[in-house]
Amino acid sequence: MIIIIKKKRLAGILAVSAMVALAAAAVFFGMKIIKGGSVSTSADGSWGLSFQEEGRAPAGNATAEYLAEYDGYYAGSSREKTIYLTFDAGYENGYTAGILDVLKKHRVEAAFFLVGNYIEKSPELVRRMVKEGHLVGNHTYSHPDMSEIAAEDAFREELTRLEKAYKRVTGKEMKKYYRPPQGKYSEENLKMAKKMGYKTIFWSLAYVDWYESDQPTREEAMEKLIPRTHPGAIVLLHSTSRTNGEILDELITKWKEMGYEFKSLEELK
């Protein structure tokens, strides 16, 4: 049986199909459809990535240009074979000292985004991070879903409370680098962080490493991280991960063999 579709009807079908495809893409990338059929360059909710080509920076669910308006970053320059190594730590799980040993061996400066529980319970490790040249960033005091916080005073309290804890432990002012817990944020959060003088730091390379009872194998970790490494990568690892503690020496060695150098977040442009 042959079905004949008139030109006008075909054009209508194609137009509807295009809109469906656009909507599907918007859902996949965590974006919003706005008037005129275009896709927004911003996204409230959870930070997400789409890896499209090996060795190239992924697409984020908000563009680098949009984040830059609020002093936000998810990657550095794509023209430089640079890695910005960062760790998130909601608590101490026995692996941080070993991680610091490896960083010292390789002369790599990293950033550790800490919460109040970590600073209060592991002050000696926090002081060691600072002494050895690492940046300690603000991961909020109590690790809430910040995208649910609309009031500026409540947002400010989460960050300033951690700043005070850090100063009590180190005697120093905390540097103004902020990572939203779980990558959850809103445009208002970005505005408030900028108003407080903070740079908001997302990431362009990470993998599922945070389940304590279901740690990836060495092979699984390397297979996820190495092919997705790209110039300007802001790498997020959890220092609570046994696997990360075990592979870090090999991982840094491999990155160096690939021609990458390591820089501090303070060198982000």
Side-chain angles (χ1 to χ4, degrees), residues 7-230:
K7 287 184 178 180
K8 287 185 179 180
R9 186 181 173 196
L10 178 59
I13 291 171
L14 292 174
V16 170
S17 297
M19 287 302 295
V20 170
L22 180 60
V27 169
F28 181 76
F29 287 106
M31 297 178 180
K32 304 174 188 173
I33 298 293
I34 57 176
K35 290 183 179 179
S38 60
V39 179
S40 171
T41 56
S42 66
D44 291 350
S46 295
W47 179 247
L49 298 168
S50 172
F51 288 88
Q52 301 169 342
E53 186 178 340
E54 188 172 307
R56 296 283 299 275
N61 62 354
T63 66
E65 293 75 17
Y66 167 79
L67 292 176
E69 293 179 29
Y70 305 102
D71 292 339
Y73 296 86
Y74 81 94
S77 172
S78 61
R79 297 185 296 275
E80 299 178 1
K81 293 195 77 173
T82 300
I83 288 173
Y84 303 88
L85 184 57
T86 75
F87 295 87
D88 282 5
Y91 59 98
E92 173 51 32
N93 204 23
Y95 307 120
T96 306
I99 286 170
L100 289 169
D101 290 343
V102 172
L103 294 174
K104 186 174 183 179
K105 170 186 173 181
H106 287 277
R107 298 182 180 179
V108 169
E109 292 182 11
F112 289 84
F113 286 91
L114 307 180
V115 299
N117 170 72
Y118 194 103
I119 292 177
E120 305 285 8
K121 294 188 175 181
S122 302
E124 69 290 344
L125 285 171
V126 178
R127 286 190 285 266
R128 181 180 171 188
M129 291 170 190
V130 175
K131 181 180 178 180
E132 295 181 2
H134 304 296
L135 186 152
V136 174
N138 201 320
H139 203 35
T140 73
Y141 190 87
S142 59
H143 204 268
D145 178 348
M146 296 297 276
S147 68
E148 297 294 323
I149 296 180
E152 186 173 341
D153 58 346
F155 182 92
R156 184 178 292 272
E157 173 66 14
E158 277 292 333
L159 273 63
T160 56
R161 191 177 176 194
L162 191 81
E163 291 172 357
K164 292 173 183 176
Y166 176 81
K167 189 169 184 178
R168 282 196 304 271
V169 165
T170 66
K172 300 178 181 293
E173 298 292 337
M174 175 169 267
K175 294 181 179 179
K176 300 286 188 172
Y177 292 84
Y178 159 64
R179 174 166 284 157
Q182 302 176 66
K184 293 184 178 180
Y185 72 104
S186 68
E187 186 171 273
E188 286 304 307
N189 290 167
L190 296 175
K191 290 178 181 177
M192 290 185 282
K194 181 178 179 179
K195 186 176 179 180
M196 292 179 67
Y198 273 91
K199 290 179 170 62
T200 300
I201 307 296
F202 292 100
W203 59 88
S204 61
L205 178 56
Y207 76 119
V208 180
D209 62 351
W210 56 86
Y211 293 117
E212 187 175 348
S213 61
D214 187 19
Q215 281 289 288
T217 65
R218 170 205 164 276
E219 291 74 21
E220 289 169 340
M222 299 298 280
E223 286 171 6
K224 289 287 186 182
L225 293 169
I226 296 301
R228 292 177 174 179
T229 301
H230 62 88

Side-chain angles (χ1 to χ4, degrees), residues 81 250-260 262:
K81 293 195 77 173
E250 178 185 4
L251 186 59
I252 291 176
T253 299
K254 179 63 177 177
W255 277 329
K256 286 184 174 181
E257 289 172 352
M258 293 167 68
Y260 282 91
F262 295 82

